[in-house]
Amino acid sequence: MTVPTYPAVESTAPPSASTAARAQLLHGGSVEQYRQAIADGVDRVARRVATVDRPVTGITPAELAPLVDRVDLDRPLGDAGAALDELDNVYLRDAVWFHHPRYLAHLNCPVAIPALLGEAVLTAVNSSLDTWDQSSGATLIERRLIDWTAERIGLGPRADGIFTSGGSQSNLQALLLAREEACVDAVGPAARAELLPRLRVLTSAAGHFSVQKSAKLLGLAPDAVIAVATDTRRRISAAAVREEIERCREAGLVVMAVVGTAGTTDFGSIDPLTELAAICAAAGVWLHVDAAYGCGLLVSPTRRHLLDGIERADSVTVDFHKSFFQPVSSSALLVRDQRVLRHATYHADYLNPARMVQQRIPNQVDKSLQTTRRFDALKLWLTLRVMGPDALGALFDDVVDRAADAWQLVSEDPRFEVVTRSELSTVVFRYLPTGPGRELADAANLHAREALAASGLAVVAGTRVDGRHFLKFTLLNPATTVDDVGYVLDLIATHAGRYVHDHVDADADLTCPVG
Ligand SMILES: *Cc1c(COP(=O)(O)O)cnc(C)c1O
């Protein structure tokens, strides 16, 4: 058998304007450039990571904005090395480094290296997880991970789900499915229009604001989300949920979902899921569990029981980019009954015509709110294949242990007042002036947080509790030690104490004029 050969096509035409640009596209002829550029970029980041001595530099938007604005986007540098030099100046030098042990602010984790490897692979191959013909094996890998997660939760044989961009999107989709399930009997536009304004969602007063946003996006009434009171441990009160369902019923309202939170963002509190499941089952109400933060417990070797009851949910949000040490984005929505995902299905002739379902072609777009979609699942896949679930769970256990130590430290320190003890890894507390100046507590804590960030030595978060300003540690870094926590507490006390001292004196100066 002879293989036909074709003469090389010698072009006599002058090179087109795009000839040089083509070398910047990844293809068989540019792999050396690709290797070089990525290796250079990795090297720059590695050098920064190796040398940062504080989580932030404390640069202000006013200082940084001119550097970014000065870049002329219409005048390319022509070379990745030069662009990286520039990037170092406008971004990397002053980036926020979550791997630093004194980054204690939000739910940002240090990232697992196998996941970074996954990120590099998935962006280069650039599979899109809407249809099989844009992804092939990637679709199967995502499906395996959805099954794995649903099994960890215990959702049963008919479970399914989809990777999403984050917990907010997962919550939105969960509530979309719950709304549609609540509307199944409201056939016709008139019945639907009559029902929609009567739908209500119950969630904890400490629940996530994406529930409110979702309700708005879903066209529910402005007062559709009812914030249910919490107990002293900041967990939703099951008794109050039961009463609220009853009250809604009597008022002619329809509770379309109860959202239980497995790890509130501020307090790390886990709602009583077993009780919520029983209440929802008895009332025929959809139970959604927002485990965006607490999902790390699914792989915890010692604390899985804290999620007991989650297996009875109708839908569950997990954020792998919070407690699974994955880079943003990596989240998923899981559902107990795969059939409910049909509420997110549309068939487009050009993409996923209905006949593909009969042909058993697995198109993930049938289950997703997105169309073109990243292969984020690959990051978790490589993490599990390299490290395994127990190792991930051990890392999360570490930070939960560390938060317990931190709570102990703060609660024994007379300079501070601490709120409830977290089941996960937050500590909410405030500096309390002991002598004169107690009324300055709010301003002093606000000041301490800002002064700390400006110094770059540590970053903590702030929140309000019962109308007062509090500070918050969110621990997600196993490298954070109790000494780090103690050091940051001293810095906070110094900043806040100085503020109180200065302002009490200033007040005294005003009230006691000399002469
Ligand atoms: C972070 C968080 C969310 C939102 O998740 P994103 O990934 O930031 O969109 C939802 N619920 C809870 C409890 C969270 O902590």
Side-chain angles (χ1 to χ4, degrees):
M1 185 173 134
T2 54
V3 179
T5 56
Y6 300 96
V9 180
E10 293 283 341
S11 172
T12 51
S16 79
S18 77
T19 307
R22 276 181 229 168
Q24 296 291 344
L25 299 178
L26 177 58
H27 53 74
S30 63
V31 287
E32 263 323 305
Q33 194 152 344
Y34 161 63
R35 277 202 184 100
Q36 192 71 50
I38 300 298
D40 279 358
V42 168
D43 187 56
R44 300 293 176 114
V45 176
R47 272 191 270 163
R48 278 283 168 200
V49 169
T51 54
V52 291
D53 62 351
R54 47 190 71 192
V56 291
T57 60
I59 198 164
T60 64
E63 288 165 330
L64 196 50
L67 302 188
V68 176
D69 290 345
R70 207 176 294 145
V71 173
D72 185 346
L73 294 173
D74 296 315
R75 278 174 183 268
L77 299 166
D79 162 68
L84 281 170
D85 287 342
E86 182 182 83
L87 190 70
D88 210 49
N89 195 37
V90 300
Y91 172 56
L92 290 176
R93 189 188 56 219
D94 298 290
V96 182
W97 297 103
F98 302 140
H99 72 279
H100 193 282
R102 290 194 304 271
Y103 177 84
L104 302 171
H106 302 290
L107 280 164
N108 310 104
C109 51
V111 288
I113 293 172
L116 295 179
L117 177 61
E119 187 75 61
V121 173
L122 76 93
T123 52
V125 180
N126 202 28
S127 300
S128 177
L129 289 231
D130 36 350
T131 53
W132 171 260
D133 70 357
Q134 301 174 77
S135 63
S136 60
T139 283
L140 303 179
I141 285 176
E142 172 167 309
R143 288 184 164 207
R144 275 294 303 279
L145 285 167
I146 287 292
D147 291 347
W148 178 86
T149 310
E151 210 165 288
R152 285 264 162 183
I153 297 171
L155 285 178
R158 293 216 305 273
D160 199 357
I162 191 80
F163 271 68
T164 71
S165 62
S168 304
Q169 194 193 351
S170 298
N171 284 346
L172 171 62
Q173 183 165 357
L175 290 174
L176 167 75
L177 303 181
R179 184 195 69 183
E180 292 309 298
E181 285 294 300
C183 289
V184 278
D185 295 330
V187 184
R192 218 180 140 90
E194 191 276 325
L195 178 58
L196 268 180
R198 290 193 291 123
L199 296 178
R200 292 294 179 271
V201 176
L202 307 188
T203 192
S204 148
H208 195 261
F209 71 92
S210 57
V211 173
Q212 251 91 7
K213 256 196 205 182
S214 301
K216 191 170 186 178
L217 284 164
L218 292 169
L220 305 185
D223 53 352
V225 178
I226 299 174
V228 179
T230 53
D231 62 18
T232 54
R233 292 164 61 197
R234 310 270 164 186
R235 304 160 358 130
I236 199 169
S237 156
V241 170
R242 199 180 283 113
E243 284 163 23
E244 198 61 46
I245 291 176
E246 199 46 48
R247 195 193 63 78
C248 284
R249 207 156 266 176
E250 283 163 12
L253 303 169
V254 176
V255 177
M256 63 168 240
V258 169
V259 178
T261 313
T264 58
T265 315
D266 273 347
F267 306 105
S269 46
I270 299 172
D271 287 342
L273 303 178
T274 303
E275 283 169 85
L276 291 184
I279 293 167
C280 287
V285 171
W286 183 285
L287 174 62
H288 174 63
V289 174
D290 177 358
Y293 176 14
C295 60
L297 297 176
L298 291 171
V299 286
S300 161
T302 63
R303 292 184 172 86
R304 173 62 181 83
H305 62 276
L306 293 177
L307 292 178
D308 281 355
I310 196 172
E311 70 284 353
R312 294 170 67 184
D314 294 290
S315 55
V316 177
T317 287
V318 295
D319 253 1
F320 300 116
H321 62 217
K322 282 180 178 163
S323 46
F324 273 70
F325 303 93
Q326 298 293 294
V328 177
S329 304
S330 186
S331 175
L333 171 70
L334 292 308
V335 296
R336 152 177 311 288
D337 180 352
Q338 60 195 26
R339 288 172 306 181
V340 300
L341 289 171
R342 74 184 185 282
H343 298 305
T345 307
Y346 284 87
H347 291 291
D349 290 338
Y350 77 91
L351 190 68
N352 60 333
R355 69 180 142 74
M356 286 181 153
V357 178
Q358 278 94 57
Q359 294 167 340
R360 296 186 163 273
I361 295 171
N363 286 336
Q364 294 292 81
V365 71
D366 295 354
K367 309 173 188 178
S368 177
L369 300 185
Q370 294 168 262
T371 307
T372 306
R373 193 163 52 86
R374 289 167 56 87
F375 182 23
D376 285 315
L378 182 61
K379 295 179 285 192
L380 181 59
W381 178 269
L382 281 179
T383 305
L384 291 177
R385 297 311 297 139
V386 175
M387 300 170 62
D390 290 354
L392 278 178
L395 288 176
F396 191 55
D397 265 1
D398 265 0
V399 298
V400 177
D401 287 339
R402 203 62 32 78
D405 298 340
W407 180 85
Q408 191 75 28
L409 202 61
V410 186
S411 62
E412 286 167 0
D413 191 327
R415 298 172 296 180
F416 299 102
E417 174 192 28
V418 62
V419 192
T420 177
R421 180 171 170 167
S422 169
E423 284 171 285
L424 297 177
S425 63
T426 61
V427 186
V428 179
F429 65 99
R430 64 174 176 160
Y431 175 82
L432 257 194
T434 41
R438 271 186 88 88
E439 72 288 354
L440 294 171
D442 275 354
N445 282 284
L446 273 170
H447 168 78
R449 181 184 171 211
E450 284 164 13
L452 194 61
S455 75
L457 290 175
V459 192
V460 304
T463 191
R464 292 182 84 80
V465 182
D466 305 328
R468 315 306 303 188
H469 194 83
F470 277 71
L471 302 175
K472 176 171 73 163
F473 293 151
T474 305
L475 281 79
L476 275 185
N477 188 347
T480 301
T481 63
V482 179
D483 286 346
D484 287 316
V485 173
Y487 174 75
V488 175
L489 287 173
D490 285 345
L491 290 173
I492 290 169
T494 304
H495 287 302
R498 197 174 294 151
Y499 181 91
V500 172
H501 175 264
D502 290 352
H503 289 77
V504 167
D505 280 352
D507 290 350
D509 288 347
L510 285 178
T511 51
C512 310
V514 186

